[in-house]
């Protein structure tokens, strides 16, 4: 049996000098989740390989010869994923299966393009799917959706796995080892799943659930060791950094501290970044451990800088909480990267300028700025789907895609551009190159070019947004 895993690219890989400076234009770190599933399958089916359009072109001759093709998609990749699924079904005899966050949360749509949709976390169900395909049987186990005579069939909910200790074999990803020397590609390790909070715009809590499940600290550290070795083998990387990709690494405090202590005891000397909510900024014991373990920064999901927006989207924080947390994190010698959302109902023209001023005043050393994003199945999507401009999923990657209540889509896009331009101005680049440490020199330099690329894409949408903004729908108050 021959099995191929495919990760679509919103903008498929192509060789470019930009790949050494600009992340997420023609290059992107391959999916850890899809790589994990490929690793699980390869242990049972030796002829298993993964392709990622994030780092390489697809070798169609090899893929079309497979018995089973699995495509994993997020929302921003969905249209490309659907196009590939149609192509594979037309030009091969393979069974085509789709999965991933978008396919799971929007399976009535995804089922139109493939033979089966594998729902939720596939660590256990992926082998059930392989066995069904081997036996040429229709899958009847829980966690599958498909069309039968035009009718949608759902086989029932499947419980998420309690244990998920598999360490992804990155060598299964075509050309990954060759590409790993790019400083734009960070090593990634995922250590836990689930989040106890319930922010309206968060898709991951709907996908993984609110109960936090964790890998053992020993497996997490071994995954870190192997990831570092993979990134460094045969390469001379300027940026020696690894990203722990959990959306809320500190949700289980006792476990998080055990992982950090295990990193310290293992004598691993590397630079780490991790995502977190603001509460970790008040935990002095945790911050001390982070510093000792080699963490340089915390990517904080700040989202908003006004309390009305926090309240509307059920984000349990205040502006004062955020400022207090940032100040305390910096006191411990760690930097803060801010993740922000523009386009809340309370946001008005000028919010981009206010956000940029906040980032600069608080000494936040990096920023990801997105217009309000909508993933099918989230509360914010269900509440606001009548205000969406379109379902061109390619554009659900930071662009304005809805009608805010207090400004037009065009104005929202402009605010995003203004915030990016002020935070990543040329004078601030010069300042960073003179005054920041080596790590943050490299980070700011890369992000400066990245934001130029992002703004270019945002500006490309302005004519369309300006045109649609001339007519305000009646349902927008």
């Amino acid at each position: 049996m021959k099995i191929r895993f495919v990760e679509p690219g919103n903008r498929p890989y192509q060789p470019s000098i930009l790949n050494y400076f600009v992340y997420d234009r023609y290059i992107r770190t391959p999916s850890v989740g899809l790589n994990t599933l490929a690793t699980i399958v390869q242990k049972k089916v030796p002829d298993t390989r993964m392709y990622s359009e994030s780092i390489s072109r697809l070798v169609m001759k090899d893929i079309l010869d497979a018995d089973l093709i699995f495509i994993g998609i997020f929302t921003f990749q969905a249209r490309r994923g659907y196009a590939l699924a149609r192509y594979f079904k037309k030009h091969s005899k393979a069974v085509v299966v789709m999965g991933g966050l978008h396919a799971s949360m929007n399976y009535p749509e995804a089922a139109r393009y493939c033979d089966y949709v594998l729902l939720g976390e596939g660590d256990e169900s992926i082998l059930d799917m392989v066995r069904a395909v081997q036996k040429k049987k229709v899958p009847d186990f829980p966690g599958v959706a498909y069309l039968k005579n035009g009718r949608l069939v759902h086989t029932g909910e499947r419980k998420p796995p309690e244990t998920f200790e598999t360490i992804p074999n990155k060598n299964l990803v075509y050309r990954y080892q060759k590409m790993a020397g790019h400083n734009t590609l960070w090593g990634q390790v995922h250590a836990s799943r689930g989040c106890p909070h319930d922010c309206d715009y968060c898709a991951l809590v709907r996908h993984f659930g609110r109960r936090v499940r964790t890998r053992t600290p020993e497996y997490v550290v071994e995954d870190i060791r192997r990831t570092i070795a993979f990134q460094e083998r045969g390469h001379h990387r300027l940026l020696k950094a690894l990203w722990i990709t959990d959306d809320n690494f500190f949700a289980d405090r006792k476990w998080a501290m055990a992982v950090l202590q295990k990193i310290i005891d293992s004598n691993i000397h590397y630079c780490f970044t991790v995502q977190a909510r603001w509460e970790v900024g008040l935990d002095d014991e945790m911050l001390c451990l982070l510093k000792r373990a080699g963490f340089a920064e915390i990517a904080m999901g700040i989202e908003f800088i006004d309390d009305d927006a926090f309240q509307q989207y059920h984000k349990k924080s205040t502006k004062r909480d955020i400022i207090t947390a940032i100040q305390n994190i910096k006191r411990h010698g760690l930097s803060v990267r801010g993740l922000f959302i523009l386009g809340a109902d309370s946001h008005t023209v000028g919010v981009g300028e206010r956000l940029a001023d906040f980032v600069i005043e608080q000494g936040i050393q990096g920023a990801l700025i997105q217009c309000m994003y909508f993933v099918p199945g989230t509360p914010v999507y269900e509440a606001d789907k009548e205000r969406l401009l379109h379902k061109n999923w390619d554009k659900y990657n930071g662009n304005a895609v809805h009608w805010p209540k207090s400004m037009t889509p065009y104005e929202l896009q402009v605010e995003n551009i203004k915030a990016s331009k002020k935070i990543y101005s040329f004078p601030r680049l010069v300042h960073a190159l003179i005054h920041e440490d080596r790590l943050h020199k490299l980070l700011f330099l890369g992000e400066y070019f990245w934001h130029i690329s992002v703004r270019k894409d945002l500006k490309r949408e302005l004519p369309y947004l300006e045109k649609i903004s001339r007519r305000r729908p009646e349902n927008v108050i």
Side-chain angles (χ1 to χ4, degrees):
M1 190 179 192
K2 179 177 179 179
I3 299 176
R4 294 297 179 259
F5 287 78
V6 177
E7 179 186 20
N10 186 338
R11 186 187 279 117
Y13 172 81
Q14 68 181 54
S16 170
I17 191 68
L18 290 175
N19 295 339
Y20 292 94
F21 308 102
V22 180
Y23 184 75
D24 203 16
R25 190 162 191 87
Y26 306 120
I27 195 167
R28 185 181 177 92
T29 303
S31 165
V32 173
L34 198 64
N35 190 191
T36 299
L37 296 186
T39 302
I40 292 169
V41 169
Q42 198 269 340
K43 292 175 182 178
K44 300 292 184 180
V45 181
D47 193 358
T48 297
R49 175 180 281 179
M50 174 178 161
Y51 289 92
S52 172
E53 287 194 303
S54 299
I55 58 168
S56 73
R57 294 181 173 129
L58 303 181
V59 181
M60 287 297 185
K61 184 178 179 180
D62 180 52
I63 297 171
L64 295 176
D65 192 40
D67 301 294
L68 171 61
I69 301 172
F70 188 93
I71 305 171
I73 56 172
F74 289 92
T75 297
F76 67 92
Q77 304 161 305
R79 293 211 331 161
R80 174 62 177 167
Y82 295 156
L84 287 173
R86 278 179 164 166
Y87 183 85
F88 296 151
K89 283 178 66 65
K90 182 178 180 180
H91 295 279
S92 81
K93 297 179 181 179
V95 174
V96 179
V97 179
M98 300 196 82
L101 189 148
H102 184 86
S104 294
M105 297 185 69
N106 201 17
Y107 62 85
E109 176 187 270
R112 302 201 304 263
Y113 300 92
C114 59
D115 295 302
Y116 304 107
V117 179
L118 197 64
L119 305 171
E121 301 169 53
D123 305 67
E124 297 168 350
S125 58
I126 187 66
L127 291 179
D128 291 338
M129 179 62 73
V130 170
R131 285 188 283 268
V133 172
Q134 282 177 322
K135 296 176 181 178
K136 301 186 185 308
K137 292 178 58 178
V138 174
D140 57 1
F141 54 88
V144 179
Y146 59 93
L147 290 178
K148 181 179 181 181
N149 300 323
R151 182 177 64 87
L152 184 66
V153 177
H154 187 300
T155 61
E157 299 295 330
R158 188 182 187 114
K159 291 183 179 180
E162 290 297 321
T163 59
F164 42 97
E165 302 288 18
T166 301
I167 296 175
N169 179 1
K170 296 174 178 60
N171 292 297
L172 293 178
V173 185
Y174 177 67
R175 284 179 60 86
Y176 194 7
Q177 170 50 219
K178 179 179 177 64
M179 303 299 289
H182 285 72
N183 287 305
T184 42
L185 299 181
W186 286 34
Q188 296 184 357
V189 170
H190 203 79
S192 67
R193 299 177 187 173
C195 177
H197 301 284
D198 203 23
C199 304
D200 286 358
Y201 43 80
C202 181
L204 290 167
V205 73
R206 274 83 204 172
H207 187 66
F208 291 120
R210 296 183 65 183
R211 185 169 64 85
V212 178
R213 291 162 289 132
T214 59
R215 298 168 71 189
T216 59
E218 290 77 14
Y219 271 96
V220 174
V221 170
E222 181 58 25
D223 198 345
I224 289 172
R225 282 192 186 281
R226 294 189 194 180
T227 300
I228 293 172
F230 180 85
Q231 295 289 124
E232 298 288 340
R233 188 168 69 243
H235 302 296
H236 299 284
R237 294 175 57 88
L238 292 174
L239 192 58
K240 297 179 180 295
L242 184 144
W243 179 22
I244 295 182
T245 58
D246 305 35
D247 276 76
N248 190 1
F249 178 78
F250 305 98
D252 183 332
R253 184 178 185 273
K254 182 178 179 181
W255 168 83
M257 294 184 72
V259 172
L260 294 176
Q261 188 60 56
K262 191 71 177 178
I263 293 172
I264 294 168
D265 294 343
S266 300
N267 202 31
I268 294 174
H269 299 291
Y270 217 64
C271 180
F272 300 97
T273 184
V274 65
Q275 296 181 160
R277 282 172 55 94
W278 64 273
E279 289 93 341
V280 73
L282 308 183
D283 190 334
D284 291 320
E285 186 178 6
M286 187 74 76
L287 294 174
C288 287
L289 273 180
L290 282 166
K291 185 66 177 177
R292 288 177 57 206
F295 284 74
E297 69 172 20
I298 295 175
M300 186 186 297
I302 298 173
E303 273 82 64
F304 312 111
I305 56 170
D306 54 299
D307 292 347
D308 288 343
F310 287 131
Q311 188 172 14
Q312 178 188 352
Y313 298 102
H314 300 101
K315 172 87 173 181
K316 296 178 181 177
S317 58
T318 66
K319 184 177 180 179
R320 174 46 53 190
D321 291 333
I322 298 297
I323 292 173
T324 302
I326 291 170
Q327 292 172 346
N328 197 41
I329 290 169
K330 291 170 65 179
R331 274 195 292 270
H332 282 81
L334 300 163
S335 65
V336 175
R337 176 172 306 279
L339 313 179
F340 297 98
I341 299 173
L342 298 176
D345 286 346
S346 57
H347 287 175
T348 58
V349 172
V351 66
E353 185 90 9
R354 294 192 293 273
L355 171 58
D357 290 341
F358 178 84
V359 169
I360 294 168
E361 290 167 4
Q362 297 302 321
I364 295 172
Q365 290 181 292
L368 169 64
I369 310 163
Q370 293 183 310
C371 296
M372 180 64 69
Y373 51 89
F374 302 85
V375 176
T378 58
V380 74
Y381 178 88
E382 296 303 323
D384 297 318
K385 58 186 174 183
E386 298 302 319
R387 292 200 272 155
L388 297 179
L389 304 180
H390 53 72
K391 290 187 180 178
N392 181 354
W393 303 125
D394 292 359
K395 307 301 181 184
Y396 283 56
N397 60 352
N399 286 284
V401 297
H402 85 301
W403 271 94
K405 286 192 174 180
S406 303
M407 52 182 159
T408 67
Y410 174 83
E411 289 169 335
L412 173 57
Q413 191 89 335
V414 169
E415 292 303 314
N416 193 340
I417 294 168
K418 286 181 177 178
S420 168
K421 192 171 184 179
K422 187 168 185 177
I423 295 169
Y424 289 93
S425 66
F426 184 73
R428 281 178 48 78
L429 170 63
V430 173
H431 182 274
L433 293 177
I434 294 173
H435 296 287
E436 295 290 357
D437 58 39
R438 182 176 179 275
L439 171 67
H440 289 95
K441 281 179 172 42
L442 290 170
L443 287 177
F444 201 98
L445 180 64
E447 289 165 18
Y448 176 81
F449 288 110
W450 175 55
H451 272 261
I452 289 175
S453 172
V454 169
R455 291 198 299 272
K456 183 178 179 180
D457 288 340
L458 294 174
K459 289 174 182 177
R460 190 174 288 119
E461 293 299 303
L462 287 177
Y464 161 75
L465 293 171
E466 184 176 27
K467 181 179 179 180
I468 204 170
S469 294
R470 292 172 188 158
R471 188 176 68 253
R472 194 172 188 86
E474 292 180 1
N475 61 315
V476 178
I477 301 174

